[in-house]
Amino acid sequence: MSNFIDTHHDSSVATLLEALPYIREFHGRTVVIKYGGSAMLDDDLREAFATDVVLLKYVGLNPVIVHGGGPEITRYMERLGLEVRFHEGLRVSDAETVEVAKMVLVGKLNAEIVQRLNRHGQAAVGLSGEDGTLFEVSPVPNAEQVGFVGSIDRVDVDVLNHIAADYIPVIASSASDRAGQSYNVNADEAAGKVAAALGAYKAIFLTDVEGWLANPGDDDSLISRAVVAEVEEKLPALEGGMRPKLQACLDAIHGGTQSAHIIDGRIPHSLLLELFTDAGIGTMVTP
């Protein structure tokens, strides 16, 4: 029995010692986390995520959460008998779709995330792109194909800096233009632009795959490290959901973020594993 306790304690201590230099390095730094996929759907993963984010705040980091809610939006659209379509990884959005998306993102998911963080011991504040005109948006170039999907032209960081000093900001990826027209905004893009505007130290994207796979579907083809030039070269040929994530990594790094990470949100505590262990998981993009 004592032997078990010793080895168990040894591994726990080793883990803490491994984390220490990272905690020291990240102290006082801003980390933008794109929260989405399974990590938002599974109850155990939701709890693990909240625990991780609260821990980050306690050890002196400034976490900023940007979330989408794709699966949940789809569920509500199907329930309401609305057609669900995607074009080049973006949700085709008519006025009705935008209304449902906003209702789900701001009214439901944002409130749930804030409540969960509060319950775990750190005060969080929910925001959307409309709050304090946080996001200025204009229609995406292919608006004829996708409808009311907005691209973020500017992020007003004053609002965020005020809040992030004391609270954990939780940002829903919806916004409207100056005329008051609401838009769907891709949450990956929102996270990348927020990280760039804040000059965040790191941007982390939780997803439902191991990371960027050289051959999609082949888990053995994980690209664990890539530099900006490599991503820029391969980006035009990419399809599906990885494309906006990698584009968001580029946005973040061009804005001064030191590194961007695409990690598997299906793994409990993947956030802590990526930040505080030597091995890390997923794909890391650096300048």
Side-chain angles (χ1 to χ4, degrees), residues 210 212-215 217-223:
E210 281 189 40
W212 180 20
L213 304 174
N215 306 310
D218 175 10
D219 289 348
D220 293 333
S221 68
L222 177 71
I223 300 167

Side-chain angles (χ1 to χ4, degrees), residues 140-203:
V140 290
N142 60 344
E144 283 184 6
Q145 281 93 21
V146 294
F148 295 115
V149 177
S151 183
I152 298 170
D153 301 323
R154 184 174 163 274
V155 177
D156 185 343
V157 290
D158 288 352
V159 186
L160 283 180
N161 286 330
H162 278 300
I163 292 170
D166 300 306
Y167 304 98
I168 299 172
V170 180
I171 306 163
S173 60
S174 74
S176 49
D177 63 15
R178 290 188 168 168
Q181 170 61 52
S182 291
Y183 287 87
N184 250 340
V185 176
N186 180 284
D188 293 317
E189 183 196 339
K193 298 268 172 79
V194 166
L198 286 170
Y201 192 61
K202 285 181 181 288

Side-chain angles (χ1 to χ4, degrees), residues 53-88:
V53 172
V54 164
L55 180 69
L56 297 183
K57 190 75 173 169
Y58 274 128
V59 297
L61 283 80
N62 292 321
V64 174
I65 298 168
V66 179
H67 71 89
E72 196 84 338
I73 293 167
T74 298
R75 215 158 60 97
Y76 274 84
M77 284 180 69
E78 285 170 348
R79 210 186 272 184
L80 293 166
L82 299 172
E83 189 188 4
V84 177
R85 282 193 304 133
F86 288 88
H87 180 77
E88 290 176 0

Side-chain angles (χ1 to χ4, degrees), residues 124 192 250 253 280:
L250 295 179
I253 288 170

